[in-house]
């Protein structure tokens, strides 16, 4: 197990195999391939002798397309939600499980072989539901960032615009937005193929996100608030809605009221998105 290292990035899975082990077992670097694709040069590793011990590196793109040459197995699994988390209202949440292996060619036909059989198995699990929190409506764009591996959150971005073409970032004037100004919100998955973005629930709070704070103004869950309009959801890599600027009454004594926008977002395969929407 210590001969293999896996990095679950959001566009690429990188796998490193200890080269010495493979050589000791009687194989060279050209004989180890991803997912049994020994005849495809894309599925072979590259030697890196700059590290000690030297390794063989494999790169596997994270997408489920047919033209992904070293196709791995992709499985969507349902998982239980934790009762005190942001998704506690959900019966289950989903994750995608990518599994694969690296092996050596099958031994020749015959009775005996003098070489062993190497198989390295790996998997990466990515949750498909995310909380994009604390998009404060005083700055124009906010990028959700999280350094953890094995998450697609780095590819999710929430941004706020002033126009229905989503062309101009909303700039908040020093005096604040006029009430009932239309605010356009887009959640986009960048560089992620195979999944559409579906917003399950978007809401606003007067202060930064706090799970135990119940003061929230919902834009929509299943029903759309009459002053919000969900224009695109689960149809592409970008989901969009807009709402009329309002103020929270607890800030009644202040000249400006802050709004923080949060979205519970799901990545789903196009057909699954359709199913969920209907
Ligand atoms: C690796 O081993 C195979 C099979 O023994 C051989 O055909 C190939 O030339 C070797 N490649 C290198 C780079 O040594
Ligand atoms: C999947 O990833 C590969 C490698 O990055 C890329 O060439 C291919 O275009 C991707 N497929 C889709 C549908 O984007
Ligand atoms: C090598 O080992 C793997 C995993 O145990 C097995 O599935 C495969 O059939 C073996 N191949 C040969 C040629 O023995
Ligand atoms: C949106 O912002 C752009 C540039 O900041 C400005 O030119 C445009 O008039 C604004 N549109 C609306 C509808 O406020
Ligand atoms: C998306 O992919 C392009 C090309 O691979 C890269 O230049 C860009 O930085 C990526 N964007 C993000 C947000 O990762
Ligand atoms: C926002 O969400 C991230 C996880 O997506 C979490 O780590 C962070 O603590 C949240 N921020 C607040 C203020 O709850
Ligand atoms: C969240 O709200 C609870 C109750 O209002 C409060 O006790 C707690 O300190 C808050 N946490 C943060 C991080 O603001
Ligand atoms: C929602 O927005 C779309 C596009 O801007 C518009 O065609 C539609 O009439 C709006 N619906 C409501 C209920 O305001
Ligand atoms: C936080 C963390 O573990 N980051 C790692 C993610 O994976 C890349 C490449 O596999 C590493 O370089 C990071 O250190």
């Amino acid at each position: 197990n210590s001969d293999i290292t896996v990095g679950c990035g959001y566009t690429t899975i990188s796998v490193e195999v200890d080269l010495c082990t493979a050589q000791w077992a009687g194989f060279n670097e050209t004989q180890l391939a991803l997912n049994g694709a020994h005849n495809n040069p894309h599925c072979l590793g590259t030697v890196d002798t700059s590290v000690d011990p030297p390794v063989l590196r494999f790169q596997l793109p994270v997408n489920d397309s047919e033209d992904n040459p070293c196709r791995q197995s992709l499985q969507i699994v349902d998982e239980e939600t934790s009762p005190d988390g942001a998704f506690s209202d959900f019966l289950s949440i989903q994750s995608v499980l990518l599994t694969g292996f690296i092996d050596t060619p099958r031994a020749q036909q015959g009775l005996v072989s003098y070489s062993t059989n190497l198989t390295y198995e790996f998997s990466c699990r990515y949750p498909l539901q995310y909380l994009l929190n604390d998009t404060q409506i005083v700055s124009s764009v906010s990028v959700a960032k999280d350094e953890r591996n094995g998450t697609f959150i780095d590819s999710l971005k929430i941004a706020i615009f002033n126009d229905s073409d989503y062309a101009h970032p909303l700039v908040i004037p020093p005096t604040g937005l006029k009430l009932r100004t239309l605010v356009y919100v887009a959640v986009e998955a960048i560089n992620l193929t195979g999944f559409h973005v579906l917003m399950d629930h978007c809401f606003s709070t007067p202060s930064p996100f706090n799970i135990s704070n119940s003061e929230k103004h919902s834009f929509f869950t299943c029903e759309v608030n009459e002053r919000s309009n969900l224009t695109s959801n689960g149809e592409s890599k970008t989901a969009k809605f807009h709402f009329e600027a309002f103020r929270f009454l607890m800030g009644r004594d202040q000249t400006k009221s802050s709004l923080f926008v949060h979205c519970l977002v799901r990545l789903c395969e196009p057909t699954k998105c359709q199913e969920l929407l209907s």
Side-chain angles (χ1 to χ4, degrees):
N1 284 347
S2 58
D3 290 345
I4 180 169
T5 314
V6 182
C8 303
Y10 73 90
T11 53
T12 315
I13 296 174
S14 56
V15 186
E16 282 176 19
V17 168
D18 186 338
L19 184 59
C20 299
T21 315
Q23 287 176 336
W24 179 252
F27 298 100
N28 64 29
E29 65 271 15
T30 62
Q31 290 175 289
L32 285 161
L34 275 170
N35 296 322
H38 289 277
N39 295 325
N40 189 330
H42 289 110
C43 308
L44 303 182
T46 50
V47 175
D48 184 352
T49 52
S50 71
V51 290
D52 185 26
V55 293
L56 196 53
R57 285 187 209 284
F58 296 85
Q59 303 278 335
L60 196 61
V62 176
N63 62 24
D64 63 344
S65 75
E66 291 294 317
D67 50 301
N68 182 343
C70 320
R71 210 173 335 151
Q72 67 274 33
S73 125
L74 183 151
Q75 208 186 346
I76 310 270
V77 292
D78 285 321
E79 294 175 354
E80 278 186 20
T81 52
S82 96
D84 52 356
F87 296 100
S88 55
D89 289 343
F90 290 61
L91 209 53
S92 69
I93 57 170
Q94 293 190 309
S95 288
V96 60
L97 202 60
L98 295 177
T99 51
F101 62 91
I102 290 168
D103 73 347
T104 49
R106 294 195 153 264
Q108 299 293 314
Q109 294 291 322
L111 205 55
V112 299
S113 166
Y114 290 96
S115 59
T116 181
N117 174 10
L118 294 181
T119 306
Y120 302 87
E121 293 175 352
F122 60 89
S123 71
C124 287
R125 175 185 158 278
Y126 301 86
L128 289 178
Q129 258 129 335
Y130 294 98
L131 167 66
L132 296 181
N133 54 14
D134 293 352
T135 308
Q136 190 175 9
I137 308 268
V138 290
S139 67
S140 55
V141 174
S142 156
V143 179
K145 196 108 187 81
D146 189 328
E147 295 300 329
R148 279 172 306 170
N149 283 327
T151 163
F152 291 137
I153 191 115
D154 287 358
S155 78
L156 287 169
K157 192 179 105 174
I158 183 164
I160 291 158
F161 300 89
N162 75 352
D163 60 330
S164 57
D165 294 331
Y166 291 78
H168 298 103
L170 179 64
V171 179
I172 310 286
T175 52
L177 281 179
K178 283 206 183 84
L179 290 173
R180 295 193 303 280
T181 303
L182 286 176
V183 176
Y184 294 84
V185 183
V187 175
E188 186 184 4
I190 300 154
N191 287 355
L192 196 63
T193 56
F195 294 103
H196 284 176
V197 174
L198 191 146
M199 302 181 295
D200 279 307
H201 182 196
C202 291
F203 58 97
S204 179
T205 55
S207 48
F209 183 76
N210 179 342
I211 192 93
S212 51
N213 189 335
S214 58
E215 290 172 323
K216 57 170 90 154
H217 174 72
S218 199
F219 296 119
F220 56 85
T221 42
C222 288
E223 279 176 22
V224 179
N225 164 322
E226 62 179 11
R227 292 191 183 261
S228 311
N229 186 341
L230 191 51
T231 49
S232 169
N233 201 18
E235 295 163 15
S236 66
K237 292 204 295 173
T238 308
K240 295 170 179 169
F241 77 98
H242 58 261
F243 66 92
E244 294 181 29
F246 59 92
R247 67 193 173 96
F248 279 103
L249 289 179
M250 34 284 209
R252 162 184 333 260
D253 50 338
Q254 291 158 8
T255 56
K256 283 189 280 179
S257 163
S258 277
L259 312 180
F260 294 81
V261 174
H262 322 278
C263 284
L264 298 179
V265 171
R266 178 198 301 263
L267 295 166
C268 44
E269 296 165 293
T271 49
K272 178 70 180 175
C273 286
Q274 276 309 310
E275 192 186 302
L276 290 166
L277 282 169
S278 60

